[in-house]
Amino acid sequence: MTTLADLWPPYRLRLHVGDLTMTVISDEDVPGLVDLALAGIHAPDAMPFSSPWTLAGPEKLPVEMIRYFSSVRAGFGPDAFDLLFAVRVEGELVGTQGLHGRDFGVTRTVETGSWLGLAHQGRGIGTRMRRAVCAYAFDHLGAEEVTSAAFLDNPASLAVSRKVGYRPNGVVRLKRRDGEMALNQRLVLTPADLVRGEPVEVVGAEDLSRFLRLEAS
């Protein structure tokens, strides 16, 4: 019987790093991610995201997350892609890791973004999954740089970026919540600067590169 992974190449991509596994988010992952988000991602008075999506209450957040994940699949293609991974440690869902590309065939630049449930923070998982996705971007997609960003009042995210090898790339002023300006640190990583960790086993990379029309690049 034909499966959705047979029809949709992104679903064949898997990253394995020891006991950590990353798979492209499917419909089956969404309920668990909703539960993680509702249980908390950050302190109530903090906001690590430039789009403050976690402010939606429990009556709205599940629907908004379903809409978002559905839009990601609908818009996925060579000109613009959002690789959103469900991250599991020893089989337990802990958060998401994103890799976002626009006009990647020309720019060879992707951007990372991620979140972890509060119960899974402070255990080094964020560093492991960021190193894994950056290694995939450089070694299999052919990226020439990976960018990221974090607000200056988010030291945990900035610490992960330093451990992975990102360099500061300027500070910009952004609207964060209504009426609030926050300083956002831009970051950039090159293949030479990547601080590699555990070996990364990648499955399905060639299928996805063909789908993104990168196989001849």
Side-chain angles (χ1 to χ4, degrees):
M1 179 179 178
T2 302
T3 67
L4 195 54
D6 295 326
L7 303 173
W8 189 243
Y11 286 157
R12 300 200 282 276
L13 182 65
R14 306 176 72 88
L15 311 185
H16 300 278
V17 186
D19 62 357
L20 185 149
T21 302
M22 299 168 60
T23 58
V24 173
I25 292 171
S26 66
D27 291 346
E28 290 73 21
D29 298 314
V30 175
L33 293 173
V34 169
D35 288 342
L36 270 180
L38 289 175
I41 298 173
H42 54 79
D45 59 344
M47 178 45 65
F49 306 119
S50 56
S51 177
W53 60 274
T54 51
L55 293 181
E59 71 285 352
K60 292 183 178 179
L61 187 60
V63 172
E64 292 302 317
M65 290 182 70
I66 291 170
R67 285 175 175 153
Y68 172 66
F69 290 130
S70 297
S71 71
V72 166
R73 185 168 67 188
F76 196 104
D79 295 329
F81 60 84
D82 295 290
L83 270 174
L84 298 183
F85 294 94
V87 182
R88 289 178 169 83
V89 176
E90 295 183 346
E92 181 180 7
L93 188 63
V94 298
T96 73
Q97 173 67 63
L99 192 67
H100 314 283
R102 300 292 179 271
D103 300 314
F104 178 75
V106 176
T107 68
R108 293 289 164 171
T109 298
V110 286
E111 182 169 10
T112 55
S114 62
W115 60 264
L116 285 169
L118 275 173
H120 308 287
Q121 296 176 17
R123 297 164 49 193
I125 297 171
T127 302
R128 295 177 69 199
M129 65 195 205
R130 186 100 70 90
R131 282 175 170 158
V133 81
C134 289
Y136 163 72
F138 290 137
D139 298 344
H140 298 274
L141 276 183
E144 296 181 7
E145 68 174 17
V146 176
T147 63
S148 191
F151 288 111
L152 294 185
D153 59 4
N154 188 357
S157 179
L158 292 170
V160 168
S161 296
R162 286 194 299 272
K163 292 175 184 176
V164 175
Y166 291 78
R167 292 179 287 103
N169 195 32
V171 175
V172 297
R173 296 160 62 92
L174 295 180
K175 174 186 173 182
R176 182 162 51 179
R177 289 168 284 205
D178 285 345
E180 177 189 7
M181 187 281 295
L183 297 176
N184 190 263
Q185 175 69 64
R186 303 297 193 183
L187 302 152
V188 63
L189 177 69
T190 63
D193 290 333
L194 174 61
V195 179
R196 294 178 181 268
E198 307 157 86
V200 181
E201 178 188 354
V202 180
V203 177
E206 293 182 359
D207 289 344
L208 183 56
S209 291
R210 281 192 293 270
F211 183 70
L212 294 174
R213 303 174 192 160
L214 300 172
E215 70 277 4
S217 299

